[in-house]
Amino acid sequence: MVPAAFDIRGWRMAALAFDSAGEPHVVYTSGPEAAPDETVTADIMYVHRLGSTGWTEPEKIGELEVEYGQDESLVELDFDNQGRLHAAYSGYGAGYTITHLFRQDGVWSSPTEVVTGASAVDMAVDPDGRVRRMWPGVTNSNGITWS
């Protein structure tokens, strides 16, 4: 059962990862829709299931600015081979910034800006446990290059 406070609608995006015990962890965006000529703040939220006791309360782990007509953000989530949970998010709002943070022993690190100027993010952990992120960069009107 999903808690009522864990509400994703419209432009909001979510990412899912499972820990070594098979419990789901979710990062999602939450916030108001932007009106014309308006910029709003979307919160990056985190919840996870605690076995049969249910879901944790949503925890805010970051935020991003969202502009009207660009009401999307992308979130990614994955565990490394040491059990740390990594999250990355990018908004199509002001700055097009990709941000990364990780959770270890129940505590989130401070958010770190990875790159500015990228409108999407994809993330995976390689077999050696290194977090790998990639993002598109528009080179011209005919194509996209990936970093």
Side-chain angles (χ1 to χ4, degrees):
M1 182 173 144
V2 177
F6 177 42
D7 185 14
I8 304 171
R9 297 183 224 168
W11 58 269
R12 293 152 180 89
M13 304 296 279
L16 170 70
F18 291 89
D19 63 24
S20 60
E23 296 295 342
H25 295 251
V26 178
V27 171
Y28 63 98
T29 61
S30 177
E33 301 276 346
D37 299 319
E38 180 182 37
T39 299
V40 297
T41 300
D43 294 330
I44 309 300
M45 305 298 291
Y46 166 74
V47 294
H48 69 279
R49 195 171 68 200
L50 299 169
S52 61
T53 62
W55 290 84
T56 61
E57 288 296 316
E59 175 185 359
K60 180 179 172 180
I61 63 170
E63 62 184 36
L64 55 89
E65 297 298 311
V66 180
E67 297 172 346
Y68 176 75
Q70 300 171 330
D71 290 338
E72 291 187 33
S73 63
L74 297 177
V75 293
E76 289 288 330
L77 195 62
D78 205 353
F79 281 93
D80 66 20
N81 60 1
Q82 296 179 19
R84 289 180 299 225
L85 181 61
H86 293 264
Y89 55 88
S90 174
Y92 287 112
Y96 295 91
T97 299
I98 293 176
T99 303
H100 172 260
L101 64 162
F102 65 90
R103 185 174 191 261
Q104 184 171 4
D105 300 325
V107 178
W108 284 99
S109 68
S110 297
T112 301
E113 289 186 4
V114 176
V115 66
T116 299
S119 59
V121 62
D122 196 6
M123 181 176 67
V125 177
D126 72 17
D128 293 325
R130 294 175 296 200
V131 176
R132 304 295 189 163
R133 296 169 302 265
M134 69 177 196
W135 55 86
V138 178
T139 57
N140 59 40
S141 61
N142 297 321
I144 294 177
T145 58
W146 288 86
S147 297

